[in-house]
Amino acid sequence: MTDHDQLQTLARRHLMMHFTRQSAYAAEDVPVISHGEHCWLYDTRGRRYFDGLSGLFCTQIGYGFGAELGEAAARQMAELPFYTNWSYAHPRAIELAAKIGELAPGDLNRTFFVSGGSEANESIIKLVKQYHQLNGARNRYKMIARRIAYHGTTFGALSLTGIAPLRAPFEPLMPGVRHVSNTNSYRRPDGETEAEFTRFLLDELRAVIEQEGPESVAAVFMEPVQNSGGTLTPPEGYFQGAREICNEYGVLLVADEVICAFGRLGYWFGSQRYDISPDVVTFAKGVGSAHVPLGGVLMTDAVAQPFLEGTNMFNHGITYGGHPVSCAVALKNIEVMEREGVLENVRANEAYFRGILDKLAEKPIVGDVRGAGYFMSVELVKDKETKETFSDEESEFLLRGFLSHRLFDAGLICRQDDRGDPVIQLSPPLVATRDDLDFVHDVLDTVLDEGWSEITKSGSRQAVSP
């Protein structure tokens, strides 16, 4: 057998993939990505694809600096391949924590390292509860997150996640979590102004805190730009109002920046772009451009203070949190991002990226284009005038039955998502050029027309009808 054939046989027999319908590959090849260059990936058949999703919103510097980051990993492996941060420290964790504090806004100065995004949000749940206990507020255990928001798959993080199909198989989940509206301005009532939308969202947040009892609420979790639902950006004044409400009721404001941090929005942290002033931040993905598993919880001096006093400690730990090799690679990744002007590249090309995607809004199937930085979505609709969305059956056919295969065949990897209304999500590596972005546009320009044709055919309508 060829390497390709052997890998197919072994994958079907042994590999359980994440969030994957395994049955889909009973008769079709498993896509096996073998190597990458710049923003492009290659499979074991030799086919080339533009990585329009940065892996999973995380390969900020693409695939052209692996050797350089690998050299940093090799040096660290030779010096100290592993040691823990449990009662000890090592140079790379100290240096990376200091660098993150330098890049972060305000007095976000202390970092607790973990292995990834779900672990970061899991850790924050414990952090904020213990923080309030140390301050004498033992009844503060409730959390507020937003509808359709994704915060991870571990038990506590999944409890924060506002996506019913992900939660249902594992319920009952952690008690005390409430969900409020997200910032989907495309779906707000006709004629509602941005200021009115902001007021509605803040009034709802206040009402939920008061309904639960302010003395019982520990934290509010919000992404600067919400991923699930399709890169939902905040209306003017939203985060400033949320900050004021949290201050009023003694609630911690958490910015989940697992995706948004380290350049995705053109800034080191999305909190800088939207002036969020969070008490705690979670990060992962982009800190090492996903070349290594690494995440963290970044907190203000005020949040850290109770844990620094007397015999107190944060009663939590992760074996591989702050792994020296991961920290060494992350430091090199940040060095590369600074040297190559990666954030500047995003800011220089954001308007261009948005502009070429806006051209797609002329199509009957495109209802909205939204997002920020290199983090964009195209919402698909059945009727532009009424904003009518597709039925579940139509969405299944359009996204998974047609677009997923056709876009991949055309050489574009992106996400077709309906955790909310159907969207195509785009999150290219932050080193992507305008020529790369033009490729994304050109593929979508063709394939969306084909998708509209397919979904409007009488045969397709019949096939997807309930």
Side-chain angles (χ1 to χ4, degrees):
M1 292 190 294
T2 65
D3 287 344
H4 174 80
D5 291 337
Q6 185 177 27
L7 287 169
Q8 291 298 317
T9 300
L10 294 174
R12 290 193 181 96
R13 179 65 183 89
H14 298 289
L15 183 62
M16 290 291 290
M17 291 176 282
H18 297 217
F19 282 117
T20 300
R21 297 177 180 179
Q22 300 279 147
S23 62
Y25 299 116
E28 296 185 17
D29 279 358
V30 176
V32 180
I33 303 301
S34 60
H35 62 286
E37 297 174 355
H38 182 53
C39 300
W40 297 82
L41 297 166
Y42 297 81
D43 66 16
T44 50
R45 299 172 298 175
R47 296 190 57 185
R48 182 174 184 252
Y49 309 91
F50 181 78
D51 185 6
L53 203 60
S54 294
L56 276 173
F57 316 97
C58 51
T59 52
Q60 316 295 66
I61 59 174
Y63 303 96
F65 298 93
E68 185 175 353
L69 270 62
E71 289 171 1
R75 286 194 298 272
Q76 185 59 46
M77 288 286 284
E79 176 184 315
L80 181 69
F82 173 73
Y83 210 71
T84 175
N85 278 327
W86 295 47
S87 301
Y88 299 87
H90 54 77
R92 299 300 89 76
I94 295 169
E95 292 162 2
L96 181 58
K99 183 63 177 180
I100 291 171
E102 172 191 322
L103 299 175
D107 61 345
L108 289 158
N109 282 317
R110 288 186 178 263
T111 295
F112 179 90
F113 288 113
V114 296
S115 304
S118 290
E119 281 186 4
N121 281 318
E122 199 79 17
S123 300
I124 282 214
I125 291 169
K126 297 174 77 172
L127 177 80
V128 298
K129 286 185 176 184
Q130 192 180 0
Y131 165 83
H132 287 299
Q133 289 176 8
L134 292 174
N135 284 326
R138 301 188 65 86
N139 292 328
R140 287 190 184 268
Y141 70 94
K142 296 177 182 176
M143 314 280 172
I144 298 173
R146 297 188 293 193
R147 297 188 185 109
I148 314 180
Y150 177 87
H151 293 288
T153 54
T154 53
F155 194 77
L158 183 60
S159 302
L160 296 173
T161 293
I163 305 169
L166 296 185
R167 296 163 53 91
F170 309 105
E171 291 177 330
L173 294 168
M174 182 180 72
V177 177
R178 290 286 305 273
H179 291 92
V180 295
S181 298
N182 57 49
T183 60
N184 188 345
S185 60
Y186 179 64
R187 293 291 172 182
R188 73 190 190 210
D190 290 340
E192 183 179 70
T193 66
E194 184 174 19
E196 289 169 339
F197 184 44
T198 299
R199 178 48 49 200
F200 162 77
L201 295 168
L202 295 177
D203 286 348
E204 181 188 29
L205 176 60
R206 179 184 295 276
V208 169
I209 292 174
E210 292 182 347
Q211 180 180 357
E212 292 300 308
E215 70 285 349
S216 71
V217 179
V220 172
F221 287 73
M222 296 175 168
E223 298 162 90
V225 174
Q226 182 174 313
N227 177 36
S228 292
T231 54
L232 305 176
T233 57
E236 184 72 25
Y238 172 70
F239 280 120
Q240 292 70 38
R243 176 72 273 175
E244 291 175 4
I245 291 171
C246 288
N247 287 347
E248 179 180 348
Y249 293 113
V251 175
L252 295 181
L253 179 58
V254 178
D256 179 347
E257 297 219 29
V258 170
I259 289 177
C260 293
F262 295 95
R264 181 58 47 193
L265 306 183
Y267 296 80
W268 288 111
F269 291 88
S271 294
Q272 292 164 317
R273 175 163 183 156
Y274 294 110
D275 190 24
I276 298 175
S277 301
D279 299 295
V280 193
V281 169
T282 52
F283 64 86
K285 297 185 183 289
V287 65
S289 283
H291 288 43
V292 289
L294 182 65
V297 173
L298 175 61
M299 65 197 81
T300 63
D301 292 330
V303 170
Q305 187 58 43
F307 300 96
L308 310 180
E309 298 171 354
T311 60
N312 295 341
M313 67 175 178
F314 181 28
N315 218 11
H316 181 53
I318 300 291
T319 297
Y320 301 120
H323 192 290
V325 176
S326 293
C327 290
V329 171
L331 283 163
K332 179 58 67 173
N333 173 65
I334 293 171
E335 178 187 318
V336 169
M337 292 180 70
E338 291 179 321
R339 183 186 75 216
E340 300 294 324
V342 171
L343 273 62
E344 291 81 358
N345 184 64
V346 174
R347 292 198 293 267
N349 290 328
E350 176 179 356
Y352 183 82
F353 189 22
R354 178 59 182 264
I356 61 175
L357 293 180
D358 280 341
K359 295 178 182 177
L360 302 175
E362 301 170 4
K363 299 181 181 298
I365 197 173
V366 176
D368 192 33
V369 174
R370 55 180 179 259
Y374 271 23
F375 194 30
M376 298 285 185
S377 293
V378 176
E379 181 168 335
L380 308 180
V381 293
K382 191 174 181 177
D383 189 311
K384 286 175 69 83
E385 296 302 317
T386 65
K387 300 182 183 179
E388 179 186 0
T389 192
F390 294 101
S391 68
D392 290 344
E393 293 81 7
E394 289 169 329
S395 182
E396 174 72 17
F397 169 79
L398 179 63
L399 296 184
R400 297 174 188 86
F402 180 79
L403 288 177
S404 177
H405 300 285
R406 183 68 187 91
L407 288 167
F408 190 68
D409 287 343
L412 175 61
I413 296 175
C414 55
R415 172 176 275 178
Q416 304 80 46
D417 195 12
D418 57 356
R419 295 176 295 180
D421 297 303
V423 296
I424 293 176
Q425 290 183 296
L426 300 162
S427 179
L430 307 188
V431 294
T433 65
R434 295 191 176 189
D435 286 343
D436 296 324
L437 301 177
D438 285 340
F439 175 83
V440 173
H441 167 269
D442 292 348
V443 170
L444 290 175
D445 189 36
T446 298
V447 175
L448 287 176
D449 286 344
E450 294 173 351
W452 180 249
S453 177
E454 288 292 320
I455 201 72
T456 54
K457 286 180 182 176
S458 58
S460 296
R461 284 187 179 276
Q462 185 176 11
V464 299
S465 295

